[in-house]
Amino acid sequence: MGAFRFSSLHVRRNELQYKNEFTSANQTLSNIEPLLRRGEPLYIATDETRPAFFDCFRATHPRLYRWSDFFDDAGVGHGPLSGLTVPRKLIGCVEQAICAMGRRFFRTGHSTFSGYVSRLRGFVGAPDTNEYPHHKAWSRESATSPQQQPRHTGRMYFIEDPEMWTTTVGPARPKRRRSSDRTGELMAESIDEAGAALHGGATLDSPNHAA
């Protein structure tokens, strides 16, 4: 698909406790369609078990992909990834990386899985790092409105604060002296002074100190 040449979604369906975020596939498509390009390839990370659940997307986005389209075929020796087997415990991590490379990413609102995708997108310099919950109706105008983006508070652990990546990019900042640094220096001085007293004025670093 190519980096930032598709859009991605994470649609949590089964055990998520926030049932107000459950929508039909038709509703999800209607919500996000204004922010998609015509015929744009889509990748959907989901725990939905019904293979045909997202078929309504194919009318306008025929290049619709899920994990099985790449990796299930690879496991039985077919497709461009033939012979590649991803350990079960790493599947979620790989899907997060795939979603992070989308031009736009549509998330499940109360999901830490989606949250970490947002952080990865910041780290890799995605062209759009805004938050777009798929259960919310979007327009081109609302997509660029700061008022439509979540407020970041300590209790919103499922929403990544952009400072996670914006403060790690650019020129190095002067290192602020920590109180613990001075504490360590004082401890070292005390040890050195104790060594001098024990060895007749020779410090632990002195060439006259006998080991």
Side-chain angles (χ1 to χ4, degrees):
M1 292 185 290
F4 311 133
R5 297 174 63 182
F6 66 100
S7 280
S8 54
L9 298 87
H10 172 229
V11 181
R12 182 75 184 274
R13 291 285 305 167
N14 290 323
E15 296 179 357
L16 186 68
Q17 68 191 81
Y18 304 99
K19 305 304 182 185
N20 63 307
E21 297 184 5
F22 281 22
T23 63
S24 66
N26 278 302
Q27 186 61 57
T28 290
L29 179 59
S30 176
N31 288 344
I32 70 173
E33 188 73 74
L35 304 188
L36 298 175
R37 292 173 177 167
R38 184 186 300 272
E40 183 174 25
L42 301 177
Y43 182 87
I44 302 179
T46 182
D47 58 352
E48 173 57 54
T49 58
R50 290 170 289 178
F53 183 80
F54 294 101
D55 278 359
C56 63
F57 280 69
R58 298 187 186 279
T60 52
H61 298 274
R63 291 180 292 173
L64 178 69
Y65 302 104
R66 292 173 60 177
W67 179 266
S68 58
D69 294 310
F70 296 104
F71 295 97
D72 285 2
D73 288 345
V76 294
H78 299 299
L81 301 177
S82 176
L84 177 65
T85 300
V86 179
R88 183 177 61 84
K89 290 185 177 181
L90 295 182
I91 290 176
C93 299
V94 174
E95 285 214 287
Q96 285 177 316
I98 295 172
C99 287
M101 300 309 292
R103 181 184 65 87
R104 274 189 168 134
F105 170 61
F106 301 91
R107 62 171 294 156
T108 295
H110 289 70
S111 166
T112 51
F113 182 101
S114 283
Y116 193 68
V117 172
S118 296
R119 186 190 298 191
L120 288 177
R121 290 176 62 74
F123 289 157
V124 301
D128 186 345
T129 55
N130 284 338
E131 301 282 359
Y132 299 113
H134 73 84
H135 67 281
K136 178 179 177 179
W138 292 95
S139 67
R140 292 183 180 179
E141 292 73 24
S142 64
T144 58
S145 171
Q147 287 73 31
Q148 297 299 317
Q149 292 301 302
R151 293 177 60 252
H152 297 94
T153 67
R155 299 183 64 183
M156 295 180 67
Y157 57 88
F158 41 82
I159 300 291
E160 293 290 332
D161 191 323
E163 286 197 9
M164 290 296 297
W165 55 87
T166 57
T167 57
T168 60
V169 177
R173 298 183 178 183
K175 183 178 179 181
R176 187 172 64 180
R177 185 183 180 88
R178 299 175 300 176
S179 59
S180 58
D181 294 338
R182 181 55 182 158
T183 301
E185 291 173 0
L186 292 173
M187 291 178 65
E189 290 172 4
S190 298
I191 293 172
D192 205 41
E193 290 171 359
L198 288 171
H199 298 284
T203 68
L204 296 180
D205 294 327
S206 170
N208 296 324
H209 170 62

